[in-house]
């Protein structure tokens, strides 16, 4: 077993973490930058250090995942910690039935999705923390326009000025660029075939190599030709396996939060544990 030293990962970028169950496809370079940087005094590094020092003393540990997603990792953590429970995914477990039946959709985005063919729409979202560089935004816009695929793009208003001139008008018939979208309902919609997210390298590696539900961006940078190729591949015949895997994981996640699901049972365990600790 090789060790990644505090001096950084120079020369060890491709070293795989095969000494950790479930992470045999993760490389050192895939880890968050603050985990492998030389700065051991950054706020993130200090937070991780304090967590590591205190985890063994925790009465119970709960995480936002579900047992069926990563069994090797979960089983290892259950072996190492006496009380370890999965109570996620929060995006599903925290949604009431009424919110799913009557989702907030003031701008009619879901109604627009209703008019699209099954698994035909590209949904793009980068969250609140990540916005690609201007050249990458342009490349993504040009790829969407070149393919002619229907798309729903959740993009902050402040970033719209970086889109190619006339893009919004030229694609208005087959696409929508919106400041916000009801993500849970969008991802669960039958017309959405490609969810496209900006995320950290480690999650990307899991998505592409372990769960096999998506593709990584070649070279880590959006290009018009690369994105157009990937989008057409995923929505075409070759992407059928990816879409099938997405459906399987979706079913497992939904099953986990049902009344007799693993996450629901674990949440009951957590609630009872906390109740016993609370003062009378």
């Amino acid at each position: 077993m090789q060790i990644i030293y505090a001096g950084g990962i120079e020369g060890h970028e491709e070293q795989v973490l095969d000494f950790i169950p479930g992470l045999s496809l993760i490389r050192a370079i895939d880890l968050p930058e603050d985990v492998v940087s030389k700065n051991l005094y950054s706020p993130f590094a200090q937070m991780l250090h304090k967590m590591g020092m205190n985890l063994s003393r925790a009465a119970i540990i709960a995480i936002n995942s579900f047992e069926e997603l990563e069994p090797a990792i979960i089983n290892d953590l259950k072996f190492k910690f006496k009380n370890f429970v999965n109570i996620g995914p929060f995006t599903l477990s925290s949604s009431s039935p009424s919110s799913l039946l009557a989702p907030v959709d003031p701008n009619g985005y879901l109604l627009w999705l209703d008019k699209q063919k099954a698994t035909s729409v590209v949904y793009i979202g980068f969250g609140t923390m990540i916005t690609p560089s201007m050249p990458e935004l342009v490349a993504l816009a040009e790829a969407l326009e070149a393919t002619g695929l229907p798309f729903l793009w959740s993009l902050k208003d402040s970033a719209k000025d970086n889109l190619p001139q006339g893009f919004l008008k030229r694609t208005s018939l087959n696409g929508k660029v919106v400041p916000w979208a009801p993500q849970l309902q969008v991802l669960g919609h039958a017309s959405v075939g490609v969810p496209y997210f900006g995320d950290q390298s480690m999650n990307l590696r899991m998505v592409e190599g372990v769960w096999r539900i998506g593709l990584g961006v070649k070279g880590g940078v959006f290009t018009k030709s690369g994105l157009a190729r990937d989008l057409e591949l995923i929505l075409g015949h070759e992407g059928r396996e990816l879409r099938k895997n997405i459906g399987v994981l979706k079913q497992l996640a939904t099953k986990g939060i049902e009344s007799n699901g693993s996450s629901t049972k674990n949440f009951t365990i957590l609630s009872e544990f906390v109740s016993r600790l609370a003062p009378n």
Side-chain angles (χ1 to χ4, degrees), residues 147-242:
T147 61
L149 294 169
F151 66 88
L152 179 62
W153 187 352
S154 180
L155 183 67
K156 292 181 289 188
D157 285 332
S158 58
K160 288 183 181 179
D161 291 339
N162 294 326
L163 297 175
Q165 187 174 4
F167 168 77
L168 295 175
K169 184 177 181 179
R170 291 192 301 272
T171 59
S172 60
L173 294 179
N174 65 302
K176 286 185 176 293
V177 179
V178 301
W180 176 87
Q183 181 169 293
L184 181 60
Q185 287 75 27
V186 169
L187 291 175
H189 200 283
S191 68
V192 175
V194 182
Y196 215 94
F197 294 100
D199 214 332
Q200 57 163 292
S201 297
M202 186 170 176
N203 285 348
L204 172 61
R205 195 76 167 173
M206 297 295 288
V207 164
E208 183 177 30
V210 180
W211 303 324
R212 298 184 60 80
I213 59 174
L215 296 176
V217 176
K218 189 174 182 180
V221 178
F222 292 149
T223 65
K224 177 183 176 180
S225 59
L227 286 168
R229 180 189 62 247
D230 289 346
L231 290 173
E232 291 180 337
L233 185 152
I234 294 175
L235 283 174
H237 178 76
E238 295 181 65
R240 190 171 296 174
E241 182 182 353
L242 297 179

Side-chain angles (χ1 to χ4, degrees), residues 86-97:
N86 296 262
I87 57 174
F90 289 162
T91 52
L92 293 178
S93 60
S94 62
S95 299
S96 65

Side-chain angles (χ1 to χ4, degrees), residues 2-260:
Q2 289 181 304
I3 302 296
I4 300 173
Y5 294 96
I9 62 170
E10 289 83 2
H12 300 278
E13 291 86 353
E14 297 299 320
Q15 177 186 329
V16 295
L17 309 185
D18 53 4
F19 52 90
I20 302 177
L23 298 185
S24 60
L25 294 180
I26 303 299
R27 305 163 301 176
I29 198 171
D30 297 322
L31 295 171
E33 183 177 352
D34 283 327
V35 173
V36 294
S37 70
K38 296 180 181 179
N39 182 10
L40 300 181
Y41 299 98
S42 70
F44 189 75
Q46 288 291 299
M47 179 191 71
L48 289 179
H49 175 71
K50 291 178 181 178
M51 287 175 61
M53 296 295 292
N54 288 285
L55 273 177
S56 61
R57 299 163 51 193
I60 191 168
I61 299 171
I63 68 170
N64 179 20
S65 186
F66 55 100
E67 295 191 358
E68 297 80 3
L69 179 63
E70 301 156 323
I73 297 174
I74 299 306
N75 289 336
D76 181 54
L77 292 172
K78 282 186 174 182
F79 175 77
K80 291 176 177 175
F81 301 104
K82 183 169 62 174
N83 295 303
F84 182 88
V85 292
N86 296 262
I87 57 174
F90 289 162
T91 52
L92 293 178
S93 60
S94 62
S95 299
S96 65
S98 60
S99 68
L100 293 175
L101 291 173
V104 177
D105 186 29
N107 296 297
Y109 306 144
L110 296 179
L111 291 176
W112 179 80
L113 288 175
D114 289 340
K115 300 176 183 178
Q116 310 305 315
K117 295 180 180 179
T119 65
S120 67
V121 176
V122 181
Y123 172 60
I124 307 107
F126 294 100
T128 57
M129 302 299 293
I130 300 174
T131 300
S133 65
M134 185 174 72
E136 289 185 294
L137 282 176
V138 170
L140 178 51
E142 290 178 343
L144 290 170
E145 186 173 359
T147 61
L149 294 169
F151 66 88
L152 179 62
W153 187 352
S154 180
L155 183 67
K156 292 181 289 188
D157 285 332
S158 58
K160 288 183 181 179
D161 291 339
N162 294 326
L163 297 175
Q165 187 174 4
F167 168 77
L168 295 175
K169 184 177 181 179
R170 291 192 301 272
T171 59
S172 60
L173 294 179
N174 65 302
K176 286 185 176 293
V177 179
V178 301
W180 176 87
Q183 181 169 293
L184 181 60
Q185 287 75 27
V186 169
L187 291 175
H189 200 283
S191 68
V192 175
V194 182
Y196 215 94
F197 294 100
D199 214 332
Q200 57 163 292
S201 297
M202 186 170 176
N203 285 348
L204 172 61
R205 195 76 167 173
M206 297 295 288
V207 164
E208 183 177 30
V210 180
W211 303 324
R212 298 184 60 80
I213 59 174
L215 296 176
V217 176
K218 189 174 182 180
V221 178
F222 292 149
T223 65
K224 177 183 176 180
S225 59
L227 286 168
R229 180 189 62 247
D230 289 346
L231 290 173
E232 291 180 337
L233 185 152
I234 294 175
L235 283 174
H237 178 76
E238 295 181 65
R240 190 171 296 174
E241 182 182 353
L242 297 179
R243 298 196 298 274
K244 179 182 177 181
N245 293 341
I246 290 172
V248 170
L249 283 185
K250 180 181 176 182
Q251 290 179 351
L252 290 175
T254 302
K255 185 178 180 180
I257 63 165
E258 290 177 351
S259 58
N260 201 38

